[in-house]
Amino acid sequence: MQVHLYDSSAQVGQAAAILIGAQLIGKPGSVLGLATGSTPIPTYRELIRMHRAGAVDFSSAVSFNLDEYCRLPEQHPCSYHYFMRNEFFNHVNFAPSNTHMPNGNAVDLLAECARYDQVIAKAGGIDLQLLGIGRNGHIGFNEPSDQFVYGCHVVKLTPSTIQANRRFFDTEADVPREAISLGIGSIISAKRIVLLATGYDKAQAVCRAIREDIDPATQASILRTHPDVIFLLDRAAASKL
Ligand code: PGA
């Protein structure tokens, strides 16, 4: 695996945007796996800037997001649908039909999980998967567990994740308790994986993922088995390595 260190979260975002831009120049119809959360925001801002400068074209790219809360309306400002429109899709030239997100409001959530995996497989799998990492080492919403779950699934969020995501909601009680997440199998099947981590509150998870045993208690540790994984870290996130 490659680990690259940067002085600031803005530089991490620039580095990730350059990797994504290069991916699209090499293969304009690339399938991108996209992430939400605070960490990728500088990446999306830089990609928007590059797009406006004519350096990145998303017109034939395809995207699949990692996850979405269950039973939160798509129009809710905390939904990941809303986040992606607001932070990224509305500012670049993806064809709307090429951007995919799990439907956390599907009547049959298990059928929705199966459908989402099928659409990804039909698109040929993910070329480049962008990831953040939770303070508990989760990737997507694959929470600490005694196993790695292969396929897309419905997840019960842990108290640590509910607490971490509470900052986006009015009260902790408003944070959804369940989400749909891509499974570890789909993530690890991506041809290239780029994980971003910034800030001291990620240092422990980054250290466990890179230095300790491959263990589902730290879901990100599975990434070490992947032949093309790049961690882009600021100095704070790397401070326990
Ligand atoms: P964050 O979330 O970027 O908001 O810290 C990352 C994650 O939980 O994967």
Side-chain angles (χ1 to χ4, degrees):
M1 74 188 300
Q2 298 181 46
V3 180
H4 297 215
L5 292 190
Y6 298 90
D7 285 330
S8 67
S9 54
Q11 286 177 9
V12 169
Q14 282 165 6
I18 288 168
L19 288 175
I20 292 170
Q23 171 72 37
L24 289 170
I25 289 169
K27 182 180 174 189
S30 288
V31 178
L32 303 176
L34 298 179
T36 51
S38 312
T39 313
I41 289 177
T43 304
Y44 293 138
R45 297 220 167 124
E46 180 63 9
L47 283 170
I48 293 165
R49 193 197 65 72
M50 288 164 65
H51 171 66
R52 288 186 179 145
V56 196
D57 175 21
F58 296 92
S59 60
S60 51
V62 175
S63 75
F64 288 93
N65 264 79
L66 277 169
D67 45 20
E68 177 58 287
Y69 291 116
C70 293
R71 310 300 171 213
L72 194 65
E74 285 180 11
Q75 300 72 20
H76 191 289
C78 294
S79 82
Y80 291 165
H81 279 75
Y82 185 97
F83 175 100
M84 289 307 297
R85 283 196 301 270
N86 210 37
E87 297 291 343
F88 193 38
F89 294 148
N90 286 351
H91 310 287
V92 293
N93 65 335
F94 270 103
S97 58
N98 281 351
T99 64
H100 304 272
M101 303 194 62
N103 177 8
N105 290 296
V107 177
D108 183 342
L109 290 171
L110 295 184
E112 171 59 9
C113 292
R115 181 198 71 81
Y116 201 60
D117 274 342
Q118 278 163 14
V119 185
I120 293 174
K122 217 168 151 192
I126 293 167
D127 290 306
L128 185 152
Q129 176 68 57
L130 188 66
L131 293 176
I133 183 170
R135 289 184 292 188
N136 62 9
H138 75 198
I139 46 177
F141 271 132
N142 292 281
E143 297 283 46
S145 167
D146 52 7
Q147 58 180 339
F148 293 109
V149 177
Y150 191 87
C152 185
H153 58 294
V154 177
V155 184
K156 284 203 185 321
L157 303 186
T158 60
S160 153
T161 298
I162 292 168
Q163 182 60 37
N165 291 3
R166 183 247 170 281
R167 68 191 194 277
F168 301 111
F169 291 83
D170 289 339
T171 70
E172 190 171 316
D174 293 327
V175 184
R177 270 31 188 179
E178 287 188 335
I180 291 187
S181 179
L182 268 196
I184 290 295
S186 314
I187 293 173
I188 209 89
S189 301
K191 294 182 186 71
R192 164 169 270 196
I193 297 176
V194 178
L195 182 143
L196 317 177
T198 55
Y200 286 105
D201 62 342
K202 301 296 174 65
Q204 188 72 39
V206 166
C207 176
R208 291 208 321 263
I210 293 179
R211 292 239 184 268
E212 293 183 11
D213 290 346
I214 295 172
D215 184 333
T218 302
Q219 294 272 316
S221 63
I222 193 79
L223 299 175
R224 300 220 305 277
T225 64
H226 192 280
D228 186 1
V229 59
I230 307 174
F231 277 44
L232 305 178
L233 310 175
D234 72 357
R235 295 197 181 277
S239 60
K240 289 200 159 78
L241 287 179

